[in-house]
Amino acid sequence: MNTSSKTFYRQIFALTLPIVVQNLLSAMVSSADVIMLNSVGQSAISSVSLATQYSGVLFMIFFGLGTGITMLSAQYWGKKDLHAIELIQGIALRFVLICSVLFFLAAQLIPGPMMTLFTNDPELIELGTGYLRLVSFSYLFWGISEAYLACLRSVERVTISTLLSTLALALNVGLNAVFIFGLFGAPKLGVTGVALATSISRGIQLAACFLVSIRSPDVKLRFSCIFRHNRILFSDFVHLSLPALGNDLSWSVGFSMYSVILGHLGSDMVAANSIVVVVRNFATVLSFGLANSSTIWLGKLIGQNEMDAAKKDAGRYMKLTVATGILGGLLILAASPFVLGYADLTPKALQYLKYMLLINTYYVLGIAVNTTLIAGVFRAGGDSRFGFICDTIDMWAYAVPMGFIVAFLLKLPPMVVYFLLCTDEFAKWPWVIRHYRSFQWMKNITKEYK
């Protein structure tokens, strides 16, 4: 199944574009929250930015479990085995429901201590507590939808997956406007309005998933599959998903520790970082889209035992991700004057924002290469263990300890702390690139399971 360069890039464009659109819409929702809350005040932006760290951790759990679905299902899709894909979905849903309920209960019972982890500002804690209690209802719907969307993507139905995500995101933005600004006679709810909009939109998205499932010719969303057991597939899912989940969770929690560090350096640093995160999310949508599509594309080739074609196409993905990383940096550079002109922040926060944007013009290249290889190419071949080990060492033996030391022991200036934290992606490049060139990650993981 060797394809010419022209054919490859055309097919990858068709596969990646819907995923990029989905990622772009997600970034737009995050930016819409910040833009709309900008009229409420800096404290509103900061509190939501900190409270959504928990949503970020939960998303990485869902992403890790979704990766397990995609890693296995993409290769079984290469064999056209829909029965295996349905069993894999049922296994994933068990884990998804457990995690959703645990996060929901935590947000209902201990929202105050959850906010205190990130800040000691009483106003931010109070605003974030109310937000967490209400947004936690979305957790119960979100995970189920993400599992089903991962199944759809693994069988190359990325357009339907994107449309379902678009529905939720469009509703989220529209309802944000209604509840933040009090449109159509609704009360002005500010931060609480953002949480309410998120919960309603996620609930409607799940309902839409069930409607799509009814008409789907291949992948169905059935809770009955939760109770269907297959020892071989369960073992494979756990073997592949747990390292992927551990990888994403380790990285996500580690990245949340950056917010802990920055959160204790003052509200100006928090506000500046909340805007930088939005800009960086826009700049990396292509990179994350390539990572997702590489798992599907290369996984299908490997499931068909087309190893030479998979090696060749992995090299093409590598070239693409470097190009998208450079493009992302240029986008941040071009957007910086507009961002600085728009942001309604204190003079100190604006000064922080200016230098943080400059740092991110090159930081996104490190993110692009590592994301495509660790979360995309390696996982296509069933290798989630390398990423788990690499990211855990990088985050917890290097970046997080260094951040606490330079911030709280050495008490270096906030911008020096931020600069050092942003060396984490480049510190692991030598090991990541070496592993890619070894091709030890490339394995056919399908089995006779019946």
Side-chain angles (χ1 to χ4, degrees):
M1 193 178 169
N2 283 291
T3 55
S4 66
S5 293
K6 185 177 180 180
T7 301
F8 168 81
Y9 290 118
R10 185 173 64 248
Q11 291 175 329
I12 292 308
F13 178 79
L15 179 61
T16 305
L17 181 60
I19 300 173
V20 169
V21 170
Q22 183 175 333
N23 292 341
L24 182 61
L25 289 169
S26 296
M28 288 174 66
V29 169
S30 298
S31 64
D33 288 350
V34 173
I35 291 170
M36 294 177 187
L37 287 173
N38 188 62
S39 64
V40 180
Q42 181 169 307
S43 293
I45 296 174
S46 299
S47 63
V48 171
S49 173
L50 294 177
T52 53
Q53 295 299 315
Y54 290 102
S55 296
V57 172
L58 189 58
F59 170 76
M60 295 311 296
I61 293 174
F62 295 153
F63 186 82
L65 293 171
T67 297
I69 294 173
T70 306
M71 289 169 69
L72 273 172
S73 296
Q75 292 203 14
Y76 279 105
W77 177 239
K79 298 176 68 175
K80 296 295 186 253
D81 190 339
L82 291 173
H83 179 65
I85 294 172
E86 188 173 272
L87 291 174
I88 292 163
Q89 180 183 223
I91 295 166
L93 283 173
R94 294 177 217 162
F95 290 100
V96 160
L97 289 172
I98 291 171
C99 294
S100 299
V101 170
L102 288 176
F103 270 74
F104 170 77
L105 291 175
Q108 290 296 315
L109 300 175
I110 53 168
M114 289 170 73
M115 285 300 301
T116 304
L117 177 63
F118 290 106
T119 182
N120 51 12
D121 187 314
E123 183 181 8
L124 299 188
I125 293 172
E126 181 180 359
L127 288 171
T129 294
Y131 175 89
L132 278 172
R133 279 208 172 101
L134 194 50
V135 82
S136 63
F137 288 95
S138 71
Y139 303 162
L140 301 174
F141 313 127
W142 187 16
I144 300 170
S145 298
E146 286 297 317
Y148 183 60
L149 295 179
C151 281
L152 288 176
R153 288 192 294 268
S154 68
V155 299
E156 299 181 89
R157 297 190 66 199
V158 291
T159 301
I160 295 296
S161 173
T162 299
L163 289 174
L164 287 169
S165 295
T166 302
L167 171 66
L169 299 173
L171 282 170
N172 201 348
V173 172
L175 292 173
N176 272 348
V178 170
F179 295 129
I180 291 175
F181 302 123
L183 303 181
F184 309 113
K188 292 184 178 181
L189 300 176
V191 168
T192 304
V194 175
L196 182 60
T198 300
S199 293
I200 293 174
S201 61
R202 291 296 181 190
I204 295 174
Q205 181 192 32
L206 179 57
C209 285
F210 280 109
L211 291 176
V212 168
S213 171
I214 293 171
R215 300 180 62 86
S216 175
D218 35 52
V219 180
K220 303 287 187 180
L221 177 56
R222 298 191 184 102
F223 284 117
S224 60
C225 66
I226 296 174
F227 306 103
R228 296 168 64 184
H229 298 277
N230 185 283
R231 184 178 56 81
I232 294 174
L233 288 178
F234 182 84
S235 176
D236 284 348
F237 183 84
V238 171
H239 176 72
L240 295 171
S241 291
L242 286 186
L245 175 58
N247 183 183
D248 295 334
L249 194 55
S250 176
W251 183 87
S252 178
V253 174
F255 215 74
S256 294
M257 288 299 103
Y258 293 5
S259 294
V260 172
I261 294 167
L262 298 177
H264 287 82
L265 295 179
S267 61
D268 289 323
M269 199 68 180
V270 173
N273 186 55
S274 66
I275 293 177
V276 167
V277 168
V278 170
V279 177
R280 186 171 63 228
N281 286 343
F282 275 108
T284 55
V285 290
L286 277 173
S287 303
F288 281 90
L290 281 174
N292 289 334
S293 73
S294 68
T295 303
I296 299 165
W297 180 265
L298 298 177
K300 184 174 72 171
L301 290 177
I302 295 168
Q304 294 170 340
N305 283 318
E306 295 278 356
M307 298 303 182
D308 290 338
K311 285 183 181 180
K312 185 175 182 179
D313 288 352
R316 290 167 169 169
Y317 265 107
M318 185 65 177
K319 294 175 184 177
L320 280 173
T321 194
V322 172
T324 58
I326 294 172
L327 178 61
L330 293 175
L331 287 173
I332 292 177
L333 192 62
S336 292
F338 301 99
V339 174
L340 291 168
Y342 168 78
D344 184 16
L345 304 178
T346 66
K348 182 184 285 189
L350 282 173
Q351 187 75 358
Y352 288 154
L353 178 59
K354 175 183 176 180
Y355 290 109
M356 291 164 84
L357 287 169
L358 285 174
I359 289 170
N360 276 272
T361 58
Y362 64 84
Y363 185 49
V364 292
L365 177 59
I367 294 173
V369 172
N370 289 327
T371 299
T372 298
L373 291 179
I374 292 176
V377 173
F378 297 166
R379 292 180 180 182
D383 185 356
S384 55
R385 185 170 175 271
F386 173 83
F388 173 51
I389 295 171
C390 182
D391 277 340
T392 299
I393 292 173
D394 181 58
M395 276 291 185
W396 297 100
Y398 170 67
V400 172
M402 176 190 63
F404 278 99
I405 290 170
V406 298
F408 304 125
L409 292 182
L410 300 181
K411 299 187 183 299
L412 296 182
M415 284 314 307
V416 175
V417 174
Y418 186 80
F419 169 77
L420 291 173
L421 287 174
C422 290
T423 61
D424 62 333
E425 295 290 347
F426 300 101
K428 58 189 176 188
W429 262 18
W431 290 272
V432 172
I433 294 172
R434 180 183 177 184
H435 188 65
Y436 161 72
R437 290 175 175 170
S438 74
F439 291 105
Q440 293 176 359
W441 48 270
M442 189 179 292
K443 295 181 180 68
N444 186 329
I445 54 177
T446 61
K447 295 178 181 177
E448 292 298 326
Y449 62 92
K450 297 177 183 177

